[in-house]
């Protein structure tokens, strides 16, 4: 039995999907692809692994899967599409630094400690809009994300909008303080105060940080801070969000959006807009994205860009169960030989689904 | 209706009194019922009664939108949850305790410090910071005896009054953290059901310390 279970079981957190759920997920992915193509995006296919040296040197690396090839080179599995797509396009952009619309589908791999039920392998569909500067593209990315959710048949979802520069702007020199960022990320005012005081931050900053968890809601959270004393960087971030909000409102497209000024960036490359989509029935975010204007710096390029990705498994959880069903197939008994084959081919030629198999008792 | 995970046992009684003050009186006594779910009389909450160590998991997975959990459990499990309110009850301290004078046994001067705890992850993190070799044993109860009988040099545990430590001839060597019951909220529920969560948060906040 012991040997059997080792042979049969995949590592915890890997993806195994078969049956109606897989069909539904595939259907959702196709709907998303249609939206992306509808906005002029073209599929890009990138490697599933790369040299370890391409990975960032920050905290995210704890989640990387690493392997060694036969020549002793350390490799890592793709943990995130944005970096891989950026690297894939860098040479092309060096030749001609133009606008590119790329969309993708594939798996990412991120280690997660066991016992929490987290998946280490996730299927994503997303897009990267390269050389897309400014608020109009931010707004368009949000609208496309919303269109993707609608195309997947998902209602009641909310998109939560934040800005990578706001919390960091308020923190100033303390922007690298892991404990403080953790407390902000958990929206834990007691802990925020405790850590900020210990760091000797000014009383005004401590109170502002402590109140950030309350700055989640409609557009009013932006105006509530309009007259508050803020460091320049935080003020600039707030102004950008207010501009984005005004743009969306002017276009009449402001519905279903929440703002969260306490949002801490999960990826170091985010430089402006950040957003996540949630659904009341799914415990984790359906997807998210943001602006990354500095990611191409390492390739000697100045490229403003924005992108997002959705987790297909979570979309399938949030989507209605009845999606993606076609007409019922016609059964054809395989025992019929040439007649059966001809019948199957005729049905297929008429565009009908066929089940060729053993006759049912 | 929001679902709120409540840890059974020590915390349930205090949680019940607190929730009553906040206007969310359970339809039947939480500490005595054998049911697994109990609604609040106001109909705005459903209580989900679970083992203390499981409460964060139910919330993290979204089975319950919110929960009450001791900080000690949150420190040990490090779940990915929002923790917007210190509820102020079930106060205790997470400490390193041991005999007043540390005796290292054996003749290996580099032998690792031995630590026994119901909170192995907390113990691990704390001793890893010291840069000296250590070994952590996971125990399930009566941790004090580990230090008394020499299984370990230290224990990492929660203390309320310190009576158990004193009666066993142990003293607190270091304090790791102050603990109390916390409100935890699922990330998705926080945004997707913002109004309900905000109302709960406001009402509980008003009841803290009252």
């Amino acid at each position: 039995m012991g040997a059997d279970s080792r042979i049969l079981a995949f590592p915890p957190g890997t993806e195994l999907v078969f049956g109606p759920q897989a069909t539904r997920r595939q259907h959702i992915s196709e709907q998303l692809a249609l939206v992306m193509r509808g906005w002029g995006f073209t599929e890009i296919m990138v490697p599933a692994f790369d040299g370890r040296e391409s990975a960032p040197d920050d905290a995210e690396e704890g989640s990387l899967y690493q392997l060694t090839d036969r020549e002793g080179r350390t490799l890592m599995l793709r943990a995130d599409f944005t970096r891989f797509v950026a690297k894939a396009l860098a040479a092309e952009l060096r030749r001609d630094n133009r606008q590119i619309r790329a969309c993708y589908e594939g798996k990412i791999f991120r280690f997660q400690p066991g016992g929490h039920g987290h998946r280490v392998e996730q299927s994503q569909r997303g897009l990267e809009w390269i050389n897309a500067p400014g608020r109009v593209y931010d707004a368009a990315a949000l609208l496309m994300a919303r269109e993707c959710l609608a195309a997947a048949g998902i209602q009641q979802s909310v998109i939560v909008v934040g800005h990578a520069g706001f919390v960091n702007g308020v923190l100033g020199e303390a922007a690298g303080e892991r404990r403080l960022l953790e407390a902000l990320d958990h929206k834990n005012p007691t802990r925020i105060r405790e850590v900020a005081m210990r760091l000797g931050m000014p009383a005004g900053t401590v109170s502002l940080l402590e109140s950030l968890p309350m700055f989640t809601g409609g557009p009013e959270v932006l105006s509530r801070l309009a007259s508050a004393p803020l460091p320049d960087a935080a003020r600039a971030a707030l102004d950008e969000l207010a501009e984005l909000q005004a743009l969306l409102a002017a276009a009449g497209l402001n519905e279903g959006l929440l703002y969260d000024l306490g949002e801490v960036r999960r990826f170091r490359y985010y430089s402006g807009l950040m957003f996540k989509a949630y659904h009341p029935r799914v415990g984790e975010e359906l997807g998210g994205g943001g602006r990354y204007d500095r990611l191409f710096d390492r390739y000697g390029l100045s490229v403003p860009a924005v992108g997002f990705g959705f987790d297909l498994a979570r979309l399938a959880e949030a989507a209605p169960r009845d999606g993606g069903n076609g007409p019922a197939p016609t059964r054809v008994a395989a025992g019929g030989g040439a007649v059966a084959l001809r019948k199957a081919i005729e049905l297929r030629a008429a565009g009908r689904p066929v089940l060729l198999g053993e006759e049912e008792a | 209706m929001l679902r709120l995970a409540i840890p059974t046992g020590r915390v349930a009684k205090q949680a019940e009194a607190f929730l009553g003050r906040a206007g969310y009186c359970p339809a039947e006594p939480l500490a005595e019922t054998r049911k697994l779910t109990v609604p609040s009389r106001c109909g705005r909450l459903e209580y989900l009664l679970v083992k203390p160590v499981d409460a964060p998991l139910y919330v993290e997975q979204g089975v319950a939108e919110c929960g009450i959990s001791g900080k000690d459990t949150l420190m040990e499990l490090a779940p990915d949850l929002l923790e917007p309110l210190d509820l102020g009850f079930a106060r205790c301290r997470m400490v390193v305790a041991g005999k007043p004078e540390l005796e290292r046994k054996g003749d290996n001067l580099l032998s690792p410090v031995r630590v026994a705890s119901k909170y192995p992850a907390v113990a691990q993190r704390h001793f890893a910071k010291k840069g000296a070799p250590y070994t952590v044993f996971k125990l399930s109860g009566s941790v004090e005896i580990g230090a008394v009988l020499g299984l370990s040099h230290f224990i990492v545990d929660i203390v309320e009054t310190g009576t158990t430590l004193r009666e066993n001839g142990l003293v607190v060597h270091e304090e790791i953290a102050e603990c109390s019951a916390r409100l935890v909220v699922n990330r998705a529920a926080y945004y997707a059901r913002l109004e309900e969560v905000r109302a709960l948060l406001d009402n509980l906040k008003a009841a803290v310390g009252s």
Side-chain angles (χ1 to χ4, degrees):
Chain A
M1 277 309 278
D4 269 354
S5 68
R6 269 217 304 278
I7 290 170
L8 286 171
F10 286 95
T14 45
E15 278 204 314
L16 286 164
V17 194
F18 180 56
Q21 199 194 106
T23 310
R24 191 163 65 244
R25 201 199 276 197
Q26 190 61 38
H27 174 72
I28 287 172
S29 174
E30 285 159 11
Q31 296 305 307
L32 263 55
L34 285 175
V35 172
M36 292 171 185
R37 254 174 262 149
W39 284 79
F41 282 71
T42 309
E43 295 289 328
I44 185 168
M45 289 153 199
V46 295
F49 57 86
D50 191 10
R52 171 66 181 80
E53 63 281 358
S54 298
D57 47 357
D58 60 18
E60 292 157 40
E61 73 182 51
S63 62
L64 282 183
Y65 276 93
Q66 300 189 34
L67 47 149
T68 312
D69 70 11
R70 288 185 177 205
E71 286 161 0
R73 186 182 181 201
T74 307
L75 306 172
M76 55 162 181
L77 291 184
R78 183 174 61 212
D80 157 55
F81 266 96
T82 301
R83 286 201 174 89
F84 273 59
V85 171
K87 179 171 172 172
L89 292 174
E92 177 62 16
L93 288 165
R94 272 185 170 166
R95 202 177 58 75
D96 178 9
N97 197 357
R98 65 183 193 284
Q99 189 171 71
I100 295 179
R101 298 177 188 85
C103 60
Y104 59 82
E105 177 174 338
K107 294 194 167 188
I108 58 161
F109 306 88
R110 287 185 198 146
F111 175 78
Q112 304 265 12
H116 291 248
H118 292 309
R119 284 169 304 128
V120 299
E121 188 183 17
Q122 298 171 20
S123 295
Q124 289 193 338
R125 173 163 271 285
L127 61 82
E128 311 294 348
W129 204 337
I130 311 295
N131 274 313
R135 252 34 76 214
V136 173
Y137 291 100
D138 285 350
L142 285 171
L143 296 175
M144 287 174 64
R146 198 159 68 184
E147 191 181 333
C148 284
L149 290 166
I154 294 168
Q155 278 141 18
Q156 296 177 291
S157 59
V158 290
I159 294 183
V160 183
V161 177
H163 194 293
F166 187 77
V167 164
N168 281 2
V170 174
L171 290 175
E173 284 171 10
E177 292 291 342
R178 192 179 50 82
R179 280 158 200 268
L180 193 47
L181 290 170
E182 264 174 26
L184 284 159
D185 185 42
H186 289 120
K187 300 202 183 296
N188 181 345
T190 318
R191 179 78 177 147
I192 294 170
R193 166 162 288 272
E194 187 186 312
V195 181
M197 299 276 280
R198 206 184 301 151
L199 290 169
M201 302 184 84
T205 310
V206 175
S207 313
L208 176 59
L209 286 172
E210 190 186 16
S211 70
L212 282 184
M214 293 313 291
F215 284 96
T216 308
E220 71 281 358
V221 300
L222 305 178
S223 43
R224 258 163 60 203
L225 272 178
S227 55
L230 289 174
D232 291 347
R235 171 66 55 198
L238 184 65
D239 288 348
E240 276 187 23
L241 278 184
E243 226 178 276
L244 175 65
Q245 193 272 328
L247 181 67
L248 286 162
L253 301 164
N254 216 0
E255 237 172 89
L257 293 183
L258 286 180
Y259 294 86
D260 183 5
L261 290 173
E263 180 71 8
V264 176
R265 62 179 178 179
R266 286 225 173 150
F267 294 106
R268 276 242 297 241
Y269 53 68
Y270 282 145
S271 60
L273 164 77
M274 301 187 294
F275 64 93
K276 286 180 187 166
Y278 293 97
H279 187 275
R281 257 207 330 272
V282 183
E284 293 163 291
E285 74 223 39
L286 304 177
R291 169 163 293 284
Y292 49 99
D293 288 352
R294 304 256 68 89
L295 183 59
F296 286 86
D297 288 6
R298 66 189 307 193
Y299 306 113
L301 287 162
S302 170
V303 178
V306 63
F308 63 80
F310 280 105
D311 182 309
L312 292 173
R314 292 183 197 150
L315 287 184
E317 243 181 281
R321 295 287 136 125
D322 51 3
N325 288 339
T330 307
R331 290 183 175 276
V332 177
V339 175
L341 287 174
R342 192 151 34 196
K343 174 147 190 229
I345 291 298
E346 274 166 20
L347 285 163
R348 289 303 304 134
R352 303 262 305 277
V354 168
L355 277 184
L356 179 70
E358 299 308 308
E359 223 162 346
E360 308 240 316
Chain B
M1 181 152 64
L2 290 174
R3 199 176 276 160
L4 187 88
I6 300 272
T8 50
R10 186 174 72 98
V11 177
K13 262 209 172 108
Q14 297 180 59
E16 184 164 358
F18 173 79
L19 290 162
R21 287 204 305 279
Y24 296 98
C25 201
E28 52 187 288
L30 296 180
E32 286 150 41
T33 184
R34 306 196 67 139
K35 289 189 185 152
L36 300 175
T37 60
V38 174
S40 69
R41 272 192 216 147
C42 62
R44 286 174 293 174
L45 290 181
E46 179 180 59
Y47 298 114
L48 178 66
L49 293 156
V50 295
K51 288 257 182 211
V53 70
D54 297 335
L57 183 80
Y58 281 100
V59 183
E60 195 180 19
Q61 290 290 314
V63 174
E65 286 80 18
C66 308
I68 291 178
S69 179
K71 183 65 185 172
D72 53 328
T73 309
L74 295 173
M75 286 172 70
E76 176 64 17
L77 300 176
D80 186 23
L81 290 171
L82 302 182
E83 196 189 313
L85 188 61
D86 182 343
L87 299 171
F89 60 84
R91 285 199 177 281
C92 57
R93 292 178 301 150
M94 177 78 74
V95 301
V96 178
K99 289 185 181 169
E101 293 193 15
L102 178 63
E103 1 160 349
R104 289 277 198 109
K105 281 188 184 149
D107 52 6
N108 178 1
L109 298 177
L110 293 177
S111 70
V113 174
R114 293 151 67 91
V115 186
S117 185
K118 276 187 285 188
Y119 303 92
V122 174
Q124 199 106 23
R125 276 202 301 275
H126 183 75
F127 279 87
K129 278 191 289 197
K130 297 178 183 290
Y134 64 92
T135 308
V136 173
F137 302 94
K138 182 182 177 358
L139 295 181
S140 311
S142 309
V143 180
E144 294 81 8
I145 208 145
V148 174
L149 296 181
L151 170 72
S152 65
H153 300 109
F154 294 112
I155 60 169
V156 167
D157 205 4
I158 49 169
V159 294
E160 275 176 86
T161 58
T163 313
T164 316
L165 287 184
R166 267 194 305 278
E167 283 176 358
N168 287 291
L170 302 175
V171 296
V172 171
H173 286 282
E174 280 177 273
E175 182 172 315
I176 298 177
E178 285 193 25
C179 299
S180 55
R182 308 294 165 98
L183 176 74
V184 290
V185 182
N186 174 276
R187 280 183 190 275
Y190 180 76
Y191 297 109
R193 304 185 65 174
L194 186 64
E195 274 178 35
E196 290 164 274
V197 172
R198 211 26 98 54
L200 174 70
L201 191 53
D202 288 344
N203 291 332
L204 295 188
K205 207 181 272 182
V208 170
S210 69

